[in-house]
Amino acid sequence: MVKRRIAEILRSGQPDESLLIQGWVRTKRELKGFSFIEVNDGSSLASLQVVMNQDLPDYEAIIKKLNTGASVEVAGVLVPSQGKGQRIELKAETVKVYGEADPETYPLQKKRHSYEFLRTIGHLRSRTNSFGAVFRVRNACATAIHQFFQERGFLWVHTPIITASDCEGAGELFNVTGFNLKDIPRTEKNAVDYAQDFFGRPTYLTVSGQLEAEVMAMAFSNVYTFGPTFRAENSNTSRHLAEFWMVEPEMAFCDLDGDMDLAEAFLKHVFKYVLETCPEDMEFFNQRIDDTVLATAENIINNEFQRLTYTEAISLLEKADVKFEYPVSWGLDLQSEHERYLAEQLFKKPVIVSDYPAKIKAFYMRLSDDEKTVRAMDILAPKIGEIIGGSQREERLDVLEKRILAQGMKPEDLWWYLDLRRYGTVPHAGFGLGFERLVQFMTGMGNIRDVIPFPRTPQSAEF
Ligand code: ATP
Ligand code: MN
């Protein structure tokens, strides 16, 4: 008997086809003489309805075992469905129960559970409609990202997770050590003796693959990273994780305008791909989570992003007829409320803000001729705020060295990064996208903990 996935059966299954499915029972309805179960195998939001007649061998015993959460294999024939809600259903000929799920203790009974509750059962929550839809869309986003870059000849490069550079200034670092924490070697001055540690020096979990991506771009022209990054920031917000995935393209022979063009084309591509490949899941989000999700996706695909400079953004914010909690003035960083005002209220579409004050941006961003601003850009999205941060990189050795010193860092620590400017330097640019922020934006999910299968946040790493 042919084994088939439920998504495929619902899409193309024909009456009279004999087939076999495997999955988990979502619901059971017992009637006189027959019963229905809904079986879901994760391939689609919709489950397949299975009809079991009482003349099935061992009918009574099997039905008793088929509670919500039980795993089954059903062989049978597809028949046109009499009931509403589905075109076809599977008439069971044999049913095998792999594992039962005790209805007294199985926590996912047929009712709506809060996301807070579902986070406490991280090992089971993927079996719900919401998380099924989220993780299918997450998968589609990842596929779209690779497709976008691969079609354009970008090399996917794997940058290290353990790094020795602590100087990117992107956030708090997690230390990586091989020491027995109960017995840490000390120097004569009682400092930690890193010379004796695994790598012979302090090491950390990476906060970004950018510096290494720049190395690779200086050989392959166009590259991207797509992997996990870590920040020990103790910020308990709905937009921050301690472990999250980042996408970081880096392009040689490219300036900030090219960078913005790529970022815009990139977001459009990902949205288009997800709408095309996950229409049912996206419809679900629009109905259940946020009724602006589909309109927003269309908005992104069909409209040019609004581009303006930081200086222009500040003057618009100063004129705004809303009261902000944080002050607005040239030189201060934009807060989330300002970003949301620009994207959500003023322009009602994604906004690219560029040319930020040098003082509030990282050392590697290219200094403009005014010597006050750097060629940086952020893409601000309605509901989420900053979704992409990028810049043209400083390719001039002398300027870069000055910027490093000005930020209180040591050029020696970045000797290899500076070497890229000594040998065959070129204008280059790139950006970073928080992958979970993208999935949040795509699905309308309010909390970033609910778009990654196993969220890592302060005080929480259970599953
Ligand atoms: P924010 O101001 O929101 O904390 P950031 O300025 O620290 O962001 P960057 O250092 O520019 O962010 O990181 C690049 C991208 O990674 C951001 O645009 C955002 O999408 C994402 N990002 C940053 N920090 C986190 C986090 N803790 N959890 C999930 N995504 C994050
Ligand atoms: Mn941050």
Side-chain angles (χ1 to χ4, degrees):
M1 186 117 4
V2 220
K3 179 175 147 184
R4 294 191 43 200
R5 299 299 300 273
I6 288 168
E8 196 199 326
I9 296 168
L10 293 172
R11 199 163 48 233
S12 62
Q14 294 300 325
D16 287 340
E17 257 182 88
S18 286
L19 48 83
L20 180 138
I21 60 155
Q22 294 165 325
W24 291 266
V25 175
R26 283 292 176 84
T27 58
K28 171 175 75 172
R29 270 185 302 146
E30 287 181 74
L31 301 163
K32 240 197 162 71
F34 62 101
S35 302
F36 292 112
I37 52 169
E38 297 274 339
V39 179
N40 192 287
D41 66 0
S43 61
S44 65
L45 187 68
S47 300
L48 183 65
Q49 178 157 291
V50 174
V51 208
M52 288 169 299
N53 232 304
Q54 64 181 7
D55 51 23
L56 210 69
D58 282 335
Y59 178 76
E60 294 296 336
I62 286 173
I63 288 299
K64 220 177 257 150
K65 292 180 183 169
L66 286 180
N67 294 305
T68 301
S71 47
V72 284
E73 176 178 284
V74 183
V77 184
L78 287 181
V79 295
S81 177
Q82 309 296 316
K84 332 190 259 275
Q86 63 278 316
R87 184 174 59 83
I88 44 173
E89 60 193 22
L90 185 64
K91 190 168 182 301
E93 284 166 355
T94 59
V95 177
K96 175 173 163 189
V97 181
Y98 278 93
E100 295 179 56
D102 182 356
E104 298 292 317
T105 56
Y106 185 61
L108 286 176
Q109 294 305 323
K110 200 194 170 189
K111 62 163 192 160
R112 275 223 210 161
H113 300 284
S114 72
Y115 290 118
E116 286 76 15
F117 169 70
L118 290 171
R119 270 173 231 142
T120 69
I121 49 165
H123 58 309
L124 297 171
R125 67 176 185 167
S126 293
R127 301 187 195 179
T128 62
N129 282 340
S130 299
F131 286 97
V134 167
F135 297 134
R136 278 186 300 274
V137 165
R138 185 181 165 107
N139 170 68
C141 287
T143 306
I145 287 166
H146 284 300
Q147 192 187 63
F148 178 83
F149 289 121
Q150 293 294 330
E151 276 174 0
R152 282 166 181 73
F154 282 61
L155 204 74
W156 180 22
V157 297
H158 304 104
T159 50
I161 285 173
I162 299 174
T163 163
S165 38
D166 60 346
C167 42
E168 287 163 55
E172 299 288 325
L173 297 147
F174 283 105
N175 294 286
V176 173
T177 179
F179 283 150
N180 172 358
L181 295 186
K182 290 188 190 117
D183 183 19
I184 296 173
R186 300 274 169 181
T187 61
E188 276 164 22
K189 287 181 182 148
N190 205 30
V192 174
D193 189 4
Y194 287 107
Q196 292 188 53
D197 201 353
F198 190 93
F199 296 106
R201 60 192 302 164
T203 46
Y204 314 90
L205 292 179
T206 185
V207 294
S208 152
Q210 183 201 313
L211 302 191
E212 291 89 353
E214 284 185 56
V215 169
M216 300 304 273
M218 293 302 115
F220 298 98
S221 303
N222 292 336
V223 303
Y224 68 108
T225 71
F226 186 4
T229 51
F230 307 85
R231 302 211 180 158
E233 49 196 359
N234 207 346
S235 47
N236 247 312
T237 78
S238 58
R239 307 186 309 130
H240 289 91
L241 291 164
E243 175 178 304
F244 64 100
W245 285 59
M246 262 227 274
V247 180
E248 295 177 286
E250 191 68 38
M251 292 164 288
F253 310 102
C254 182
D255 62 9
L256 192 69
D257 291 320
D259 200 33
M260 294 194 274
D261 291 344
L262 185 88
E264 181 168 347
F266 167 80
L267 284 178
K268 286 184 154 79
H269 173 86
V270 176
F271 274 85
K272 203 156 175 263
Y273 181 88
V274 173
L275 284 191
E276 279 165 15
T277 54
C278 303
E280 195 191 12
D281 293 322
M282 290 301 292
E283 188 64 49
F284 172 86
F285 293 122
N286 208 61
Q287 274 178 21
R288 297 287 189 83
I289 307 293
D290 175 350
D291 65 7
T292 63
V293 157
L294 288 177
T296 305
E298 295 292 344
N299 178 332
I300 291 189
I301 294 167
N302 298 319
N303 290 301
E304 261 182 43
F305 293 6
Q306 184 70 41
R307 298 186 189 192
L308 72 166
T309 63
Y310 166 89
T311 305
E312 288 162 346
I314 291 295
S315 88
L316 289 171
L317 289 164
E318 280 170 344
K319 281 186 229 138
D321 52 2
V322 290
K323 186 113 190 66
F324 295 119
E325 194 183 327
Y326 290 91
V328 175
S329 88
W330 203 100
L332 297 181
D333 207 355
L334 299 182
Q335 299 295 321
S336 167
E337 57 174 342
H338 309 135
E339 299 178 343
R340 291 182 64 159
Y341 170 80
L342 292 170
E344 260 166 68
Q345 275 161 272
L346 198 59
F347 295 110
K348 300 185 165 55
K349 60 180 182 177
V351 172
I352 311 184
V353 180
S354 66
D355 301 284
Y356 283 81
K359 286 224 170 69
I360 58 171
K361 289 289 183 184
F363 70 88
Y364 51 73
M365 298 185 176
R366 192 179 197 281
L367 196 63
S368 295
D369 292 343
D370 63 14
E371 301 205 347
K372 285 199 190 72
T373 60
V374 287
R375 299 245 68 198
M377 62 104 176
D378 279 357
I379 302 191
L380 315 176
K383 297 238 154 77
I384 302 284
E386 178 189 327
I387 185 164
I388 280 180
S391 65
Q392 184 172 336
R393 320 306 188 187
E394 185 55 76
E395 85 284 14
R396 298 162 296 185
L397 181 63
D398 54 331
V399 184
L400 185 57
E401 278 174 336
K402 272 190 214 130
R403 294 263 291 146
I404 290 172
L405 288 167
Q407 302 216 353
M409 297 181 308
K410 294 194 216 107
E412 311 84 90
D413 291 346
L414 283 164
W415 65 273
W416 52 271
Y417 188 70
L418 291 167
D419 261 6
L420 301 178
R421 279 75 182 167
R422 283 190 186 100
Y423 310 117
T425 191
V426 295
H428 61 291
F431 64 79
L433 162 94
F435 184 57
E436 285 73 20
R437 298 262 177 100
L438 174 74
V439 180
Q440 245 191 309
F441 187 30
M442 186 80 65
T443 58
M445 293 295 286
N447 197 310
I448 199 164
R449 291 166 178 78
D450 299 329
V451 297
I452 186 165
F454 305 101
R456 298 287 176 259
T457 53
Q459 301 297 308
S460 165
E462 177 78 9
F463 304 101

